[in-house]
């Protein structure tokens, strides 16, 4: 499990500025908070250390030859990314900078790649003593950049300036980077993430694509970058979730995905749960949550104390939430689908009549689409409610004319059983008539699930869900995902956590500083 609850705390726990002015009760409270924070951090460190050891044993203990070739490659990239993510999280929880890992000196980038020089000089080269400084040298760091089809190199040059009188040395600081001392630019990192989580290209295929462009970046290296980016972007996803839970109308749905069980050499069914802000809200956002089952406890854990209106299907996993005070709004499209399937199986007068009546309800919704919530509710009460009353009476009449167990009976029974939820939208202009909005957000996942996930671990699925939440939310707000992620990864290292909301897709602007 990721450790980004830390952002609800403060790992550094800064002391109050006027500590000497605190009364004894306030001091005791401060000490208790410090103690709780230290205990929490140590538990997280112990948990991650244990998980890291298990992953290392897993990485070298699983016999991937038991797996089909494609699944073996996907499993290897998954575990490499997990190891990098856990190492990154441990370093962030540590009180001191990470010790040197004893890595071999990095190979220089190929000299034939085109290079762009970026100079970083001090704001002032006048020494505090009044003398003009002289430039005596420079430090150069190269970063690998990529635009589709070609690599290039950014040469970051930091001049060294010294005062001949007092020997003061100044140099521009190293620009903050999402991977400290890392090789890739944020553009290359964004390319890898978008290719994997939007275009559904596994890392071994990306390695081949990069090879054709002149530099085959090993799959293991790409996986490490993905793991690190998952950790760096998680606070933004957490902020997006917090924002989503601030709205009183949400959509929810879930779709199965394949999760790899390397020990058994096969996959089992996991689920990607999707939550989005109501379709009639001006803010557009979706958050995905990966879980190893379809159990209702996952929806309860995600929504927590939220008690608004949930637009969902008839799945039993949501019923515990309804019992706890969440209001349920049904999906008229699900009811319509029952009659459509009935009609497609043969000539059905009942199905045709039902579809015609539901079609009139949707015609009213099209008229109401541009209205404010109060006006939409007024229109529904005036025009949709009488139609629904007649439809309900018609359903009861028709149900009494057909035998139990027939396809027509099952279709009508669904509508009658769900009637309260299906008509909930009448009394709230902010609630949509159906759940199609969230189903459309799941569609990109369904299209790519054969490629994007054969997750060998729960952590890998959660990382995929987090990054796809940002990508899909960016698309909902009209942003090109590559441009959005590149800018976010560039600004994130130097942005205070208190301002992270500026990077949420519905607030982000490309020119913001």
């Amino acid at each position: 499990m990721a450790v980004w609850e830390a952002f609800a705390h403060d790992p550094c726990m800064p002391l109050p500025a006027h500590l000497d002015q605190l009364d004894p009760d306030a001091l005791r409270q401060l000490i208790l908070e410090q103690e709780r924070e230290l205990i929490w951090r140590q538990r997280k460190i112990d948990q991650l250390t244990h998980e890291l050891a298990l992953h290392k044993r897993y990485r070298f203990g699983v016999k991937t030859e038991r797996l089909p070739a494609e699944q073996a490659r996907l499993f290897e990239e998954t575990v490499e990314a997990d190891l990098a993510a856990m190492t990154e999280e441990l370093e962030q929880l540590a009180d001191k900078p990470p010790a040197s890992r004893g890595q071999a000196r990095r190979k220089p980038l190929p000299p034939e790649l085109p290079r762009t020089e970026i100079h970083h000089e001090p704001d002032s080269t006048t020494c505090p003593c009044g003398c003009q400084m002289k430039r005596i040298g420079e430090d150069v760091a190269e970063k690998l950049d990529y635009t589709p089809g070609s690599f290039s190199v950014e040469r970051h040059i930091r001049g060294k300036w010294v005062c001949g009188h007092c020997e003061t040395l100044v140099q521009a600081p190293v620009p903050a980077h999402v991977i400290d001392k890392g090789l890739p630019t944020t553009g290359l990192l964004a390319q890898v993430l978008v290719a994997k989580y939007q275009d559904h290209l596994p890392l071994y295929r990306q390695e081949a694509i990069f090879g054709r462009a002149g530099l085959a970046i090993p799959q293991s290296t790409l996986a490490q970058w993905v793991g690190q980016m998952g950790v760096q972007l998680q606070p933004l996803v957490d902020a997006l979730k917090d924002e989503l839970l601030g709205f009183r109308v949400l959509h929810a749905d879930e779709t199965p995905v394949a999760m790899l069980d390397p020990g058994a050499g096969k996959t089992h069914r996991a689920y990607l749960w999707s939550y989005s802000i109501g379709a009639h809200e001006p803010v557009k956002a979706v958050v995905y949550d990966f879980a190893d089952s379809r159990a209702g406890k996952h929806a309860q854990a995600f929504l927590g104390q939220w008690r608004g209106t949930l637009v969902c299907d008839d799945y039993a996993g949501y019923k515990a939430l309804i019992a706890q005070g969440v209001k349920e709004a049904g999906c008229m499209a699900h009811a319509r689908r029952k009659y459509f399937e009935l009609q497609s199986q043969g000539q059905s007068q009942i199905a045709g009549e039902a579809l015609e009546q539901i079609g009139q309800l949707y015609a009213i919704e099209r008229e109401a689409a541009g209205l404010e919530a109060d006006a939409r509710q007024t229109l529904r009460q005036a025009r949709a409610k009488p139609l629904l009353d007649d439809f309900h009476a018609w359903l009861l009449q028709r149900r009494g004319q057909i035998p139990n167990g027939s396809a027509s009976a099952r279709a009508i029974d669904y509508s009658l059983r769900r009637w309260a939820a299906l008509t909930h939208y009448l009394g709230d202009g902010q609630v949509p008539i159906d759940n199609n909005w969230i189903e459309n957000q799941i569609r990109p996942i369904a299209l790519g699930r054969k490629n994007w996930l054969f997750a060998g671990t729960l952590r890998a699925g959660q990382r995929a869900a987090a990054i796809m939440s940002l990508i899909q939310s960016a698309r909902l707000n009209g942003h090109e995902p590559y441009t959005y992620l590149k800018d976010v990864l560039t600004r994130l290292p130097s942005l205070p956590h208190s301002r992270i909301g500026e990077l949420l897709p519905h607030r982000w602007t490309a020119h913001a500083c």
Side-chain angles (χ1 to χ4, degrees):
M1 180 179 177
V3 301
W4 285 104
E5 297 95 326
F7 279 81
H9 308 254
D10 183 350
C12 299
M13 286 295 288
L15 295 175
H18 304 293
L19 186 62
D20 57 337
Q21 299 177 15
L22 295 179
D23 60 46
D25 289 339
L27 281 171
R28 279 191 290 271
Q29 182 62 32
L30 178 62
I31 292 171
L32 287 173
E33 291 175 0
Q34 290 274 358
E35 185 177 7
R36 281 196 294 266
E37 178 65 29
L38 289 171
I39 292 172
W40 178 87
R41 289 175 61 202
Q42 189 58 50
R43 285 177 179 169
K44 287 297 181 183
I45 289 171
D46 292 344
Q47 173 189 342
L48 275 169
T49 302
H50 177 68
E51 189 180 355
L52 186 61
L54 287 178
H55 264 68
K56 286 181 178 178
R57 208 160 55 194
Y58 202 41
R59 171 69 179 87
F60 298 108
V62 172
K63 297 187 180 299
T64 53
E65 62 266 20
R66 296 175 55 186
L67 303 172
E70 184 178 25
Q71 290 188 14
R73 288 193 290 264
L74 289 166
F75 170 69
E76 288 170 1
E77 75 177 46
T78 290
V79 177
E80 288 286 356
D82 285 353
L83 291 172
M86 283 181 281
T87 301
E88 182 84 6
E89 290 174 11
L90 278 169
E91 290 179 359
Q92 292 187 356
L93 283 171
D95 288 321
K96 55 187 179 181
S100 174
R101 302 177 190 173
Q103 293 180 337
R105 184 178 179 85
R106 180 188 297 157
K107 286 177 158 184
L109 292 170
E112 65 272 14
L113 294 179
R115 279 161 165 75
T116 301
E117 293 189 349
I118 302 174
H119 291 268
H120 306 275
E121 302 294 352
D123 293 335
S124 173
T125 56
T126 300
C127 184
C129 74
C131 296
Q132 180 63 36
M133 293 181 167
K134 294 182 180 180
R135 200 174 193 277
I136 61 169
E138 61 190 26
D139 288 329
V140 179
E142 293 195 332
K143 292 191 177 294
L144 184 64
D145 198 18
Y146 179 81
T147 54
S150 64
F151 283 105
S152 61
V153 177
E154 288 184 356
R155 286 174 52 83
H156 291 264
I157 303 170
R158 296 187 304 126
K160 297 178 181 179
W161 296 76
V162 69
C163 175
H165 176 67
C166 64
E167 298 184 349
T168 297
L169 178 68
V170 297
Q171 188 176 30
V174 176
H177 194 268
V178 71
I179 297 181
D180 187 35
K181 301 177 182 177
L183 173 69
T185 63
T186 53
L188 176 53
L189 292 171
Q191 170 67 30
V192 172
L193 294 180
V194 170
K196 180 172 175 61
Y197 294 114
Q198 181 182 346
D199 300 332
H200 316 299
L201 285 175
L203 298 182
Y204 73 87
R205 293 183 186 169
Q206 293 193 51
E207 178 182 352
I209 292 171
F210 289 143
R212 292 196 297 272
L215 189 61
I217 305 173
Q219 174 187 342
S220 59
T221 299
L222 296 174
Q224 290 169 13
W225 294 348
V226 168
Q228 291 171 298
M229 291 308 94
V231 173
Q232 296 291 339
L233 290 169
Q234 188 62 48
L236 190 56
V237 181
D238 292 341
L240 184 63
K241 175 184 173 182
D242 290 342
E243 189 113 349
L244 178 142
L245 294 178
F247 287 82
R248 65 178 184 86
V249 178
L250 298 180
H251 295 265
D253 202 1
E254 71 290 331
T255 189
V257 291
M259 181 171 173
L260 183 62
D261 181 357
K266 59 183 182 181
T267 61
H268 71 269
R269 179 170 288 192
Y271 278 84
L272 192 75
W273 298 71
S274 303
Y275 304 90
S276 74
I277 297 169
H280 292 312
E281 297 287 355
V283 175
K284 305 302 179 187
V286 59
V287 177
Y288 301 113
D289 185 40
F290 181 84
D292 56 5
S293 75
R294 202 186 180 196
K297 64 182 180 181
H298 300 301
Q300 294 177 54
F302 182 91
L303 294 173
Q305 298 302 311
W306 180 82
R307 293 294 179 270
T309 298
L310 189 67
V311 187
C312 57
D313 59 23
D314 195 29
Y315 172 52
Y318 298 114
K319 300 308 179 186
L321 289 166
I322 310 306
Q324 293 169 5
V326 172
K327 299 180 182 67
E328 180 184 21
C331 176
M332 190 66 74
H334 273 75
R336 179 176 58 184
R337 198 170 300 149
K338 304 289 183 183
Y339 300 109
F340 181 80
E341 292 171 353
L342 182 64
Q343 187 180 53
S344 66
Q345 294 168 4
Q347 297 298 322
S348 171
Q349 183 179 354
I350 288 178
E353 292 177 10
L355 288 172
E356 182 178 349
Q357 294 184 69
I358 294 174
Q360 294 177 42
L361 297 173
Y362 273 91
I364 295 171
E365 288 304 299
R366 286 191 291 272
E367 290 183 39
L371 301 178
E372 295 295 327
D374 290 344
R376 186 181 299 115
Q377 182 179 348
T378 299
L379 179 64
R380 288 170 172 174
Q381 289 291 332
R383 295 178 54 189
K385 188 177 185 303
L387 291 177
L388 281 164
D389 290 341
D390 291 345
F391 186 33
H392 188 252
W394 178 86
L395 289 170
L396 290 172
Q397 178 190 13
R398 284 296 197 174
R399 183 63 183 87
Q401 299 171 349
I402 55 179
N404 293 333
S406 66
S408 296
R410 289 194 295 272
I412 292 177
D413 286 345
Y414 177 87
S415 295
L416 293 174
R417 186 177 69 251
R418 298 281 293 158
W419 193 253
L422 290 174
T423 57
H424 180 91
Y425 81 103
L426 285 177
D428 189 340
Q430 208 64 35
V431 176
I433 191 174
D434 59 34
N435 209 22
N436 283 352
W437 174 253
I438 191 65
E439 291 186 9
N440 290 336
Q441 309 319 312
I442 281 185
R443 188 166 291 115
I445 311 305
L447 292 174
R449 67 179 133 208
K450 289 184 179 179
N451 295 321
W452 74 265
L453 185 66
F454 274 105
T457 64
L458 184 63
R459 176 182 284 270
Q462 291 170 338
R463 178 171 54 247
I467 296 173
M468 288 190 298
S469 297
L470 296 177
I471 288 176
Q472 187 63 10
S473 293
R475 295 176 68 188
L476 287 176
N477 287 277
H479 306 315
E480 204 286 311
Y482 168 82
T483 304
Y484 169 71
L485 282 179
K486 178 181 178 181
D487 185 65
V488 164
L489 293 174
T490 299
R491 295 164 56 190
L492 196 58
S494 57
L495 192 72
H497 182 67
S498 60
R499 294 176 53 194
I500 199 169
E502 297 173 15
L503 300 182
L504 292 174
H506 55 280
R507 293 202 188 99
W508 174 83
T509 53
H511 60 275
C513 298

